Amino acid sequence: MSRIELRVNGRNVEVEADGRTLLTHALRDHLRLTGTHIGCDTSQCGSCTVHVDGKAVKSCTILAVQAAGCDILTIEGLASGRELHPMQAAFNDFHGLQCGFCTPGMIMMAIDIVNRHGRPDEATVRAELEGNLCRCTGYHNIIKAVCAGAERMGEMA
Amino acid sequence: MYDLGYSRPATLAKALELLQQDDLAQLVSGGQTLMPVLRARLAAPSQLVDIARLDDLRQICTIGAGIEIGAGMTHAEVAASPVVRAHLPALAALAGGIGDAQIRHRGTIGGSIANNDPAACYPSAVLALGARVQTNLRMLDAEAFFAGMFATALEPGEIVTAVHFPACAVACYLKFRNPASRFALVGVFAARLASDEHRIAIIGGGNGVFRWHEAERHLDRGAGVDGLDTVPLDLANFTGDIHGSADYRRHVAKVITRRALTQMA
C-alpha cells in the first residue's frame, strides 16, 4: 500500500491504495466519487472519462499514482452548487441521454472538445466522440447537446 | 491486474539504473497499450518505471530539413505541433487519427514504436520516411529497428529517446478501420522522398510493418497508379483472423495504397 496524493475537483486528497490501483477505482472506491462510471474495462467505452491536467483521459487506463500531482476534474466538479455546468444543462435540455450510464464520460469529453475546438461543427463532434460509446440514444441528441453546450460555454466565456 | 511497484524517476539516467537493477521492471509512458495488457493479466512486471514526464523526451524541433520528435510526445501533441504540421503534414494527420481523443492525450510516439503492434500506425511512417530511432545507446535506421510483430532491435535496458524524420517531398497515410474496434485493419503510408524515390509501408498485415518494394519500383519507373493492380504483393506478408483473411487484407492493402497515392498526387 502506498499513500497517493491527488488533487480532485480543486481539493487536495490522499488515498491509501495499492500501486496497481487505477485512477477510476481511486475516484470511485476510495473517494466515493461514483459519477465516473466503468462501462467496459477494456479502454473502449469512455464512460470513465475525466480530465487530467485539463485533458480528457480514460481513468481506467491510467494508474492513480501516474496522476499524482496532477489536477483531476470529474463530473462532480462541474456544477456550482445547484447550478449545472452549461454542458450538463444542454444534455438535460436536448435530451442527450436515455439510461444515463455513458453521460458523465460524454459530458467530460464534450467539455474537452469545446476547450480545443471552441464551437465545433457536427462532423467534428462526431469524430471527437469516437472514444465514447452510447448504446441507447443513437448519438443524435448527444451531438445536438454538445453543439448547444459549446455555444452556451462560448457565451459565458 | 497483479500488484506492482511504481516509480517516477527524475532523470533518464535514474530510469536506466532502475531497469538495470530489476529484469522484471517495465517502462511506462502513456500506457495506453500497457494498461489494458496489465488489466487483462497478460503481463506481470515487478514495477513500472514512469518516463512520461521526463523533459529530455518531450521536445519537437527541426534538425536541418527534418524534424526530431521526443519519444514522450503524445499523439495529440504531435498532431497539433506547428513544426510537424508544417514539415510533415501527413505525419501530423496520422497522429491525429490514432485511437480516439482520450488515447491521443496519453499515448506516445516512443511507446508506439517500441511496442511495434502490427496494427499500430506510427511504424509505417517511420519505415516509409526512412526515419532514424535514437535510443540512449545508439541511432538505429528504421529498417534495422523493426523486427516483426511486437519485436524491435531494442536491447533490455535500452530506451527510445527520439525519432528523427528526414524531410520528404509529399506523403499520405490512409487506413481502413475495422468497423467495430476502429483499429487499422490495414494502413498504408505512401511517400515520395526528397530524393524523388517512392516508399510504400504497410501495417495491419499481421506480421509487422513492411515495405512493398515492387510497388515502389513500379512508381520509381514513372508508371501510374492504375497499373498497381498487376504489381505483385507477397501474400506471406499477411495473416488471416476473424476480421479478415490474408487474401482480403492484401486486397485492401492494394486499394488503400492506390487511394493514398491518388490523394498524394
Side-chain angles (χ1 to χ4, degrees), chain A residues 20 56 58 60 66 130 132, chain B residues 1 39 53 100 105 177:
Chain A
R20 62 179 160 182
K58 294 176 180 175
C60 74
Q66 286 178 287
E130 177 161 352
N132 293 76
Chain B
M1 191 183 303
R39 267 191 332 235
R53 299 189 204 181
D100 53 49
H105 280 149
R177 289 165 181 265

Side-chain angles (χ1 to χ4, degrees), chain A residues 49 51 75 78 85 87-89 91-92 97 102-113 129 132 146:
Chain A
T49 299
H51 293 191
I75 190 76
L78 293 183
H85 183 282
M87 189 59 78
Q88 290 175 302
F91 269 70
N92 183 31
L97 57 125
C102 71
T103 314
M106 286 286 177
I107 289 174
M108 297 313 290
M109 192 61 220
I111 293 168
D112 179 271
I113 294 170
L129 282 180
N132 293 76
V146 176

Side-chain angles (χ1 to χ4, degrees), chain B residues 9-18 20 54 56:
Chain B
T11 63
L12 194 61
K14 184 71 190 159
L16 288 163
E17 201 181 300
L18 288 165
Q20 271 152 15
L54 291 180
D56 292 350

Side-chain angles (χ1 to χ4, degrees), chain B:
Chain B
M1 191 183 303
Y2 298 108
D3 204 11
L4 38 70
Y6 172 87
S7 58
R8 193 192 298 158
T11 63
L12 194 61
K14 184 71 190 159
L16 288 163
E17 201 181 300
L18 288 165
L19 291 180
Q20 271 152 15
Q21 287 165 0
D22 180 358
D23 286 347
L24 295 175
Q26 165 73 52
L27 286 175
V28 63
S29 183
Q32 298 302 284
T33 299
L34 185 59
M35 283 304 141
V37 166
L38 293 176
R39 267 191 332 235
R41 294 194 164 183
L42 296 173
S46 57
Q47 60 169 318
L48 297 181
V49 178
D50 187 348
I51 54 171
R53 299 189 204 181
L54 291 180
D55 285 340
D56 292 350
L57 310 182
R58 298 204 25 84
Q59 79 294 331
I60 295 180
C61 57
T62 55
I63 290 194
I67 58 175
E68 177 186 302
I69 301 177
M73 297 307 287
T74 66
H75 310 324
E77 288 165 339
V78 172
S81 158
V83 172
V84 182
R85 292 167 79 111
H87 289 77
L88 285 172
L91 186 68
L94 175 152
I98 297 173
D100 53 49
Q102 292 99 314
I103 304 282
R104 293 193 289 273
H105 280 149
R106 297 278 309 159
T108 63
I109 185 170
S112 172
I113 65 168
N115 187 49
N116 194 18
D117 188 308
C121 299
Y122 265 127
S124 68
V126 173
L127 187 61
L129 293 170
R132 291 183 302 161
V133 180
Q134 177 75 58
T135 77
N136 57 309
L137 300 176
R138 54 191 168 152
M139 182 82 100
L140 285 157
D141 287 334
E143 296 278 358
F145 181 80
F146 298 112
M149 152 170 83
F150 294 113
T152 66
L154 290 170
E155 300 286 345
E158 188 171 13
I159 300 180
V160 174
T161 56
V163 188
H164 296 250
F165 291 93
C168 84
V170 57
C172 178
Y173 176 72
L174 283 185
K175 59 178 164 180
F176 184 83
R177 289 165 181 265
N178 177 314
S181 74
R182 312 298 285 159
F183 238 83
L185 198 65
V186 170
V188 175
F189 199 99
R192 185 158 55 77
L193 306 182
S195 62
D196 256 356
E197 287 171 287
H198 289 83
R199 289 286 170 84
I200 309 286
I202 298 174
I203 56 100
N207 299 327
V209 63
F210 65 94
R211 277 170 61 189
W212 185 6
H213 293 284
E214 295 88 341
E216 294 173 358
R217 286 196 289 271
H218 170 88
L219 295 162
D220 286 343
R221 282 198 302 270
V225 172
D226 292 338
L228 271 179
D229 280 349
T230 54
V231 174
L233 175 54
D234 191 352
L235 191 60
N237 288 310
F238 300 88
T239 55
D241 58 19
I242 56 165
H243 305 297
S245 65
D247 250 333
Y248 174 71
R249 279 193 160 81
R250 179 171 67 170
H251 174 73
V252 173
K254 285 193 163 193
V255 173
I256 298 297
T257 302
R258 212 162 51 215
R259 285 185 193 166
L261 288 166
T262 307
Q263 281 198 20
M264 217 172 81

